[in-house]
Amino acid sequence: MAPKVKISLMSRVQGPVQAFLRPAMWIPGLRNIRYHTETRQFSQSAADINQALVRIFTTYQAQVEDGTGPGLLGNHLVLHTMDTAKGYFEIHSYTPNAEWLDVIQAYVTPSGSGCSVRLRSWSSGVLPTIIPLAPLLNIAFFFFPFAGRDPKIGWTNSARVREIFAKLQ
């Protein structure tokens, strides 16, 4: 059984601000080392894929909150926006302990008899959101090069996208 994970009050307050500002995404050349996007076509309807994404994200969140599983790469998820009518999802993914914030966005668009799904995942800043004033400090350090790489899974943002697409298959 995995340990229960709770996100700190500091990250709950600062995370949405940092996700909105996205300081790590400001410089195109540096953005590429901490960003991954991929689009795939599905034969299912957009409504079916929207329901599947809701199920996937809520399952990941519940696994981490109740300690029954690792969630998405072991991170705590906050379901920030889930608009099935528009086919838009924004998930805030916090690493355990330090609470670095990564943002996942999903766009579901009807396409012919099926739909297309575009997933984007990126790191939001060099400093974790548990640090007081992290969004402001990350603005000051927006030029600092860093990348999310795990020796077991490779680039974390591409691993997130791959894992979500695998669940949609």
Side-chain angles (χ1 to χ4, degrees):
M1 191 157 167
K4 291 184 180 184
V5 176
K6 291 292 178 192
I7 185 169
S8 69
L9 177 61
M10 185 70 69
S11 289
R12 284 192 184 275
V13 171
Q14 295 187 135
V17 174
Q18 186 160 305
F20 175 76
L21 294 173
R22 304 174 186 175
M25 300 297 290
W26 291 354
I27 299 178
L30 293 176
R31 165 182 54 214
N32 297 343
I33 63 173
R34 49 188 166 242
Y35 170 82
H36 184 76
T37 186
E38 195 172 322
T39 303
R40 293 191 189 174
Q41 296 294 124
F42 290 89
S43 59
Q44 300 98 317
S45 71
D48 290 343
I49 293 294
N50 282 332
Q51 290 174 353
L53 284 170
V54 168
R55 188 173 52 256
I56 289 166
F57 291 135
T58 55
T59 300
Y60 279 141
Q61 184 180 38
Q63 285 176 344
V64 173
E65 287 180 351
D66 65 15
T68 60
L72 182 61
L73 302 181
N75 292 352
H76 181 78
L77 301 182
V78 174
L79 309 175
H80 186 264
T81 305
M82 291 181 37
D83 188 343
T84 56
K86 292 182 180 177
Y88 175 74
F89 302 82
E90 183 171 306
I91 312 303
H92 297 175
S93 175
Y94 295 89
T95 61
N97 304 321
E99 298 179 3
W100 271 283
L101 171 64
D102 294 329
V103 179
I104 304 160
Q105 289 181 326
Y107 302 87
V108 180
T109 309
S111 173
S113 62
C115 69
S116 100
V117 177
R118 186 175 82 175
L119 290 176
R120 300 180 350 153
S121 178
W122 70 85
S123 303
S124 66
V126 69
L127 297 174
T129 55
I130 200 166
I131 295 174
L133 302 176
L136 293 176
L137 294 170
N138 279 319
I139 287 172
F141 295 123
F142 75 95
F143 61 89
F144 191 81
F146 71 94
R149 185 158 173 78
D150 183 294
K152 295 176 189 167
I153 60 169
W155 299 103
T156 55
N157 288 313
S158 60
R160 271 187 210 95
V161 169
R162 281 192 315 267
E163 187 171 332
I164 294 167
F165 274 133
K167 296 278 186 184
L168 281 174
Q169 298 301 333

